[in-house]
Amino acid sequence: MDNWPLLSTIIFLPLLGAGLLTLIRGRENDIALAAKSTALWVALSNFALTLGLWYSFDRQQEGFQFVESKSWIASSGISYSVGVDGLSLFFVVLASFLTVLCILASWRSITKRVRDFMAAFLVLESLSIGAFLALDTILFYLFFEGVLLPMFYIIGIWGGERRIYAAFKFFLYTFLGSVLMLLSIISLTWIGGTTYIPELMNTDFSIGLQRVLWLGFFVSFAVKTPMWPFHTWLPDAHVEAPTAGSVMLAGLLLKMGGYGFLRFCLPILPDASQFYAPLVFSLSAIAVVYASLVALVQEDIKKLIAYSSVAHMGFVTAGLFANNATALSGAVMQMISHGLVSAALFLCVGVLYDRAKTREIKAFRAIVQPMPAYARLMLVFTLASIGLPGTSGFIGEILTLLGVFQASPATAFALALGMILGAGYMLHLYRRVFFGPPAAMPDKLYDLQTRENFVLISLVLPVVWIGLYPAPLLNIITPDILPIIATAGH
Amino acid sequence: MGVEIVLATSALSLLLIGLALPAEIATRVVSHTAVILLLSMVAVLLWAQGQLPLTFTSDYDELTSLMLTKHFRFDAFALYVKILILFASACVLFIGLGFIGSEPMRKSLYRFEYVVIILFATLGMCLMVSAQSLLALYVGLELQSLALYIAAAMQRDNLRSSEAGLKYFMLGALSSGLLLFGFSLLYGSAESIEFAGILASLQSPSHPAPTMLLVGMVLTLAAIAFKISAVPFHMWTPDVYEGAPSSIVAFLATASKIAALALLMRLLVEAFLPLLDDWRPIISILAIASMFLGALATIPQTNIKRFIAYSAIAHIGIILIGFASATPDSMRAVLFYLCVYMTMSLGLFAFVLAMRSSGEVTERIQDLAGLAHSDAKAALALSVLMFSMAGLPPFVGFFAKFYIFLAALRTELVLIAVCGALASVISAFYYIRIVKIMYFDEAQGNLVLQGVGNRWILYASAIAVVGLTLAPSLLLERGEQAIRVLFAS
């Protein structure tokens, strides 16, 4: 089994599953049930495969593992190359994990066109895992861009009232960013003479060229991450997307932006990254403070969490460009943690929305009484979002803060301010929704069911585990961060 | 020359056969024969393409006594383009059959002459792409144009069709006038009507190109820009597309465009390559104007044929970027783009020609609303085509644009490439709007697709769009061969 193409299996199994779904025949209810269970089994087996990948990942070895490379378009040197390293491993695990949760979370709440919905999620899983594993610039672009399509459908078909506006905004913003990246990728390919990312990492580009190409990548990843001022699509997309769509968006798609910086900007264009670091620092500082302030005054729970995502991703971008190992591993940890925590928060909002059909903060009061278990779990995630010690959020934020302080104390100050504001808006939200005089609509609200409980608790475990004992992750991430720092140093 | 002779004789004999047959079956028999004939020619040519040595050219020496030698050339480039043209003609005849047979077109369009006219136009196109002299070029171009003028106006009892035919004819005649005037200047200056002669006169290093020759070239380019409907010579396109019978529009949008672009490629490379610095700005301006005008003007369209007309202008803009780069790589990218564009357009037209709302032919985009419910497979296939036309990965439309941009960046036409990228974003808007209408809007009409044949062409086109992504090398390698011949001369 040594030669078994494990990574390709992980990438294409969900796609195959989506194909299987189209074969289901029968009455509408049967189709829905069969589609849900097929999708769940496919997602579960893929999750098992990614866990297997994690298990067999050799942490002693630096660089890419499980590399598969096949010639694809020989005349242009484009190849189908995939491989995994410490930076991409956890995003792959995260992707397959979140897909399972999304399918479970949508079990009841999606009633129209269930089969298409499940297929869209499996396709989304395939494409996003592909983006994290691609080792060829063009292949990366295909996956990175392809993710837009299922997400466009997910927002547009199963979204809220202004879904069409949100879907178009999401699509056009990200597409605009990525065509500019495409031009950079093409130039990189042509001047570097290869599309193979590890080779590009070892190629030296002149500083003038780096600065131009970097901007193309930057726009794309900044839109995706999203960084201030490119973030305006995010609140709309989140508010209109169905719960599971928001989970994938916040948990996975935003990470592609950060991952892109990590895979392209930092190792391939190191000099430009250093040159533009002050720009990134300023934008991140503004993002953290601005988004936190905006979050404070939101009336819609989902929008509040969306803005908190912008703030948390500000930590990530600042950490990525701080050019030291502490900040970089902090940024990666922060991405993983945010992937879990924001996913959990959106799932929590989804639980409320399923019951009350509203997300207005004002509509809820004192729901700790009808929903105590829910309140407990939501508290864990609120605290993790604030970055309380003992949760995964703390690890990411503290490492980032320490690292960024070495590079730019002023930015670190802004980040710290953001942490305080973060505690402000999250606790303010928690107080308004869960406490206070008894609510007007207690009969509609009932506590978590087994399925919801299972989904949320399975998110609590990694959040707390990473918070208490992050070493297994850091040991895998750090070795692959060191070469990035090294390239920047010379 | 074989292709042209077979086409000419079969068009003439089909005309006779059509007359001899009883009127009820004439059209069906003639058109099916024509489709089979064209497809078998495609098959033979494809086989020949595999057999021929890479640098094969033939100046028809064996036909010297019959033909004016050196006016036509049968080479790998002509072969490549002719395969596309013949294939497009065959498909257009096939997918148009249901359309011309339905009311109210049946009375005026369901005639075997329709088939014969398309065959003559195809013949003209084949002559065009083999042309080696201005004279041969003009003969081919006019043969196809005349056939198309008639075809556009063929629906005699329809005001819009007649109007479209008249418009097309008037503006076409104007452009032919420009072309002839340009040719006379070229001949006066270069003292030769052969491409090779013009090239030789330009290559003599003693003096810069005379103004007369430059003016002649500009006029020629303007006339061809009219044929490919590049901005600002595009005015006729939306009106003709909207007014002319849809099956003719399918032909105009595929075969006719391919032939005109191939002609432009031959002319620029084989005759005017030394003047690159003079024509590059012209082509660049045409490209940028076409991309942006095409992209912006498509947005408010409500008629699917006008939509296609404007989006075609945007595609021409992208293709012209490849011309502006003027390297073997970029021309190969253009050929690839043409193949891909033809594949997608044929699928799209198969759909448009089959659109029926409560039994009537419809062209309203809004009638697509809710198609995802009523006909999920067709909606999926059409959205694949739309995504591919927008140049979204992982569909092959992306690779078509990718190679054009790659070539442009290699020749350091950065500004044009950036413009192309931005225009692509604008175009993405209206392509995904079609997807939105099919998937997100509530059903209004009851759109049905008529005809199994058109449905299968639609599916085949969507499958090809996905399949070509996995192996674009198939097309690229054959294009390589064609381009090498072009640049060798």
Side-chain angles (χ1 to χ4, degrees), chain B residues 340-369:
Chain B
V340 172
Y341 182 64
M342 184 192 75
T343 314
M344 300 184 298
S345 295
L346 287 174
L348 179 58
F349 274 106
F351 182 88
V352 171
L353 286 166
M355 277 168 66
R356 301 285 184 279
S357 182
S358 5
E360 298 273 311
V361 171
T362 177
E363 292 168 6
R364 285 179 60 225
I365 293 181
Q366 206 52 45
D367 283 347
L368 293 173

Side-chain angles (χ1 to χ4, degrees), chain A residues 44-63:
Chain A
L44 274 176
S45 11
N46 217 37
F47 181 48
L49 282 178
T50 56
L51 286 182
L53 179 69
W54 185 359
Y55 176 75
S56 45
F57 184 85
D58 182 1
R59 69 185 62 180
Q60 308 301 329
Q61 192 189 333
E62 205 181 279

